Amino acid sequence: QKTPASGHANPWRILVDHDEQAIPIFADAQTADWVLHLSLGQTFRYPAAAGGHIAFRLSGLLRDSIFQNALLISEEDLRRYFSTQFGYAYFLIETAPGAPLDTIAHRLEAVLGERYGFTVRPTIEVLAQYHRVENLYLQTFQMLGAFGLMLGASGLAVVLLRNVYERRAELALLRAFGYTAWMVTSLILIENGILVILGLGIGMIAASISVSPYLYMVGTLWAPAKQLIILLAFLVLIGLAAGSAAVIRVLRLPLLAILRREYC
């Protein structure tokens, strides 16, 4: 929960202790950002049922709450300015630690469900429903990122293969001077490895700068770091495998024919 400096020991008192200029409201942070387009402390006007407009001030933000797409005001202000609203839409039920939640839910629905249409939903289920759309977007971008990664890895392999193939004369000359196949392969792998690691390092620095606000908000680095390490190791293996395949292909070419064509 995030609220402005108010002098209240209990932040919820902000909804009750206020002047008549603007009614304080609390909202979920995502609702404030994407629906209201408001920051903490800003005000907006809403048409009143009796005519005119009512001024509201965003006085508190709730992070990852069950009140998404909802605005929280005091009951007194609700009765005063929205007198046409009556009854209660839903209730918040707090259970004792270790209480059988399923049994309580079934009992409440059995007693109140037939007469009032009362249904019980755990808060974790409500949050999961709110996150479903967000997770769908994340999965979509992850799929697009995976396709981009595959395309980039394929392009990296093609570039490395072409680079080694264009240097076949140089490699053939090294073999003529007595370099073994293992020595030539090691040279190419070290060279390609340095290029791949250098490119990945530059990309990591740029990506770290771009995602640093998110990492600061989450407060942990180990969970995304594991996936990043696996991804980087996969890219390094692709670069080394492409270089090895190119070297093996070049070393199988006729050595004398290459030297005659290039130097004679």
Side-chain angles (χ1 to χ4, degrees):
Q1 180 175 327
K2 182 179 180 182
T3 57
S6 59
H8 290 289
N10 183 2
W12 292 100
R13 295 294 304 177
I14 298 175
L15 299 179
V16 180
D17 302 335
H18 63 87
D19 53 24
E20 298 296 332
Q21 296 180 357
I23 301 175
I25 62 171
F26 285 177
D28 186 83
Q30 293 185 353
T31 301
D33 288 338
W34 303 106
V35 179
L36 299 177
H37 304 288
L38 294 177
S39 300
L40 191 64
Q42 291 184 335
T43 60
F44 70 98
R45 303 180 67 84
Y46 185 83
H53 291 80
I54 308 173
F56 292 95
R57 177 185 295 110
L58 184 60
S59 301
L61 295 176
L62 305 175
R63 188 180 302 279
D64 199 21
S65 70
I66 61 173
F67 299 110
Q68 296 187 27
N69 300 324
L71 301 179
L72 304 182
I73 63 175
S74 66
E75 184 175 2
E76 180 181 355
D77 291 330
L78 180 65
R79 293 179 180 275
R80 178 185 304 175
Y81 297 103
F82 300 94
S83 58
T84 57
Q85 301 290 333
F86 59 92
Y88 297 91
Y90 56 86
F91 302 85
L92 300 178
I93 302 174
E94 182 179 5
T95 59
L101 300 182
D102 293 339
T103 303
I104 296 175
H106 292 159
R107 180 62 177 171
L108 290 173
E109 290 179 349
V111 175
L112 303 174
E114 182 177 355
R115 183 173 181 180
Y116 299 103
F118 193 87
T119 58
V120 180
R121 297 179 60 194
T123 53
I124 189 172
E125 180 181 335
V126 177
L127 288 175
Q129 182 179 2
Y130 286 142
H131 290 166
R132 192 171 301 162
V133 176
E134 180 180 354
N135 292 335
L136 179 61
Y137 278 108
L138 292 177
Q139 292 176 0
T140 302
F141 283 109
Q142 285 179 350
M143 292 180 58
L144 294 176
F147 284 120
L149 177 61
M150 293 175 57
L151 183 60
S154 302
L156 174 64
V158 171
V159 170
L160 294 179
L161 287 170
R162 181 177 178 84
N163 180 42
V164 174
Y165 188 77
E166 289 179 348
R167 296 168 56 192
R168 60 188 182 277
E170 175 186 342
L171 300 179
L173 187 60
L174 291 177
R175 290 297 308 278
F177 282 141
Y179 281 75
T180 63
W182 171 248
M183 294 174 63
V184 174
T185 304
S186 300
L187 289 174
I188 297 299
L189 290 180
I190 293 174
E191 178 183 335
N192 290 341
I194 292 175
L195 292 176
V196 171
I197 294 175
L198 182 61
L200 291 178
I202 296 174
M204 283 183 57
I205 294 174
S208 300
I209 295 175
S210 63
V211 301
S212 56
Y214 171 77
L215 296 178
Y216 175 78
M217 180 182 64
V218 173
T220 179
L221 182 61
W222 174 239
K226 292 189 296 184
Q227 299 179 355
L228 181 61
I229 292 173
I230 295 175
L231 178 62
L232 295 179
F234 175 70
L235 292 177
V236 172
L237 290 177
I238 289 179
L240 296 179
S244 301
V247 171
I248 294 174
R249 176 68 180 89
V250 171
L251 293 179
R252 290 180 178 178
L253 296 176
L255 179 62
L256 293 178
I258 294 177
L259 292 177
R260 287 197 190 99
R261 183 167 61 250
E262 297 293 334
Y263 299 102
C264 296

